[in-house]
Amino acid sequence: MERAAVFDVDGTLVDTNHLHVVTWWEAFRQAGHDVPMHAVHRAVGLGSADLIAHLLGDDRDRDRDDELSAAHKALYGQYFDRLPALPGAGDLLRRLHADGWTVVLATSASGAELGALRRAIDADDVIADTASAEDVREGKPAPEPVEHALELAGVPASRAVFVGDTVWDMRAGSKAGVRCVGVLSGGIPRADLEEAGAETVYADPADLMARLADSPLA
């Protein structure tokens, strides 16, 4: 029977979380908002609309949400040609594919950004499909991105493992009923990931591959 390894991308396979922090911080600054970087960091992993709502609250001028999102996209886009994959990212996906796992990405990225991330990972030959922001109505921590990834893979939740780096990932995976694996490469503490639903936590993709035999992806 098929089994699926579902992966978040930013902070899990590609070392981009702090780029998002800086570019969101600058987008907010340009719009006149003083949002601390540590608060932005904790919100990374949410889709743009949810991130803005989480950081600015419901009493913000919602008419400026699109402007903020566009500013972040333009600032972050300057890095598209040099996004760094995390150690072992591509090798881990290829190993899982060779072991019989269907590899699917579940990410809030889409369009040119998703293309840049996939180029950084450099493992398109083993990525079966991608559930992107354009495919779902609600992003993480709602379960829909993970559930859509399972539909693409054609497997039930009981036959899947979700790997991510944020509490939003762990909550989404837990709500979708899959086993959740956390990585520390996004900068979120181990205790936070475990509290949000991570069954086990690794340093980064290379650490997960080195200990694959004892992991939920064995």
Side-chain angles (χ1 to χ4, degrees):
M1 187 175 178
E2 291 291 327
R3 53 186 182 169
V6 182
F7 282 84
D8 170 63
V9 180
D10 284 298
T12 301
L13 297 173
V14 188
D15 193 10
T16 50
N17 279 16
H18 289 85
L19 293 176
H20 278 299
V21 171
V22 171
T23 52
W24 271 116
W25 173 84
E26 178 62 16
F28 285 124
R29 189 196 68 80
Q30 290 177 4
H33 300 290
D34 182 15
V35 182
M37 287 196 186
H38 69 83
V40 179
H41 182 212
R42 290 283 184 164
V44 167
L46 294 171
S48 293
D50 291 331
L51 182 145
I52 293 168
H54 180 77
L55 291 172
L56 298 186
D58 292 335
D59 58 348
R60 69 191 186 281
D61 180 359
R62 300 186 187 211
D63 291 339
R64 300 197 67 186
D65 283 8
D66 288 345
E67 178 185 335
L68 278 166
S69 183
H72 164 258
K73 186 176 292 186
L75 290 161
Y76 181 62
Q78 299 175 74
Y79 298 99
F80 279 1
D81 63 347
R82 54 192 188 280
L83 298 180
L86 282 156
D91 291 339
L92 174 60
L93 300 192
R94 282 186 282 271
R95 168 66 184 276
L96 291 171
H97 175 76
D99 287 349
W101 292 83
T102 298
V103 177
V104 181
L105 306 182
T107 174
S108 58
S110 61
E113 179 184 347
L114 179 56
L117 291 165
R118 291 184 66 143
R119 287 193 298 275
I121 300 166
D122 192 24
D124 270 358
D125 53 320
V126 300
I127 297 172
D129 221 323
T130 301
S132 75
E134 297 173 335
D135 303 319
V136 297
R137 287 174 296 178
E138 284 190 275
K140 305 165 194 171
E144 192 176 349
V146 180
E147 291 170 346
H148 183 55
L150 299 182
E151 291 172 4
L152 293 172
V155 302
S158 60
R159 296 287 297 173
V161 176
F162 179 45
V163 184
D165 68 296
T166 69
V167 296
W168 319 114
D169 292 324
M170 299 302 102
R171 290 174 185 173
S174 296
K175 290 175 184 175
V178 302
R179 299 175 74 181
C180 296
V181 170
V183 288
L184 300 173
S185 41
I188 301 302
R190 178 186 299 270
D192 290 9
L193 295 174
E194 291 175 340
E195 183 180 353
E199 179 178 330
T200 184
V201 179
Y202 300 88
D204 56 19
D207 182 40
L208 173 53
M209 188 164 71
R211 298 194 280 158
L212 200 59
D214 298 318
S215 79
L217 288 158

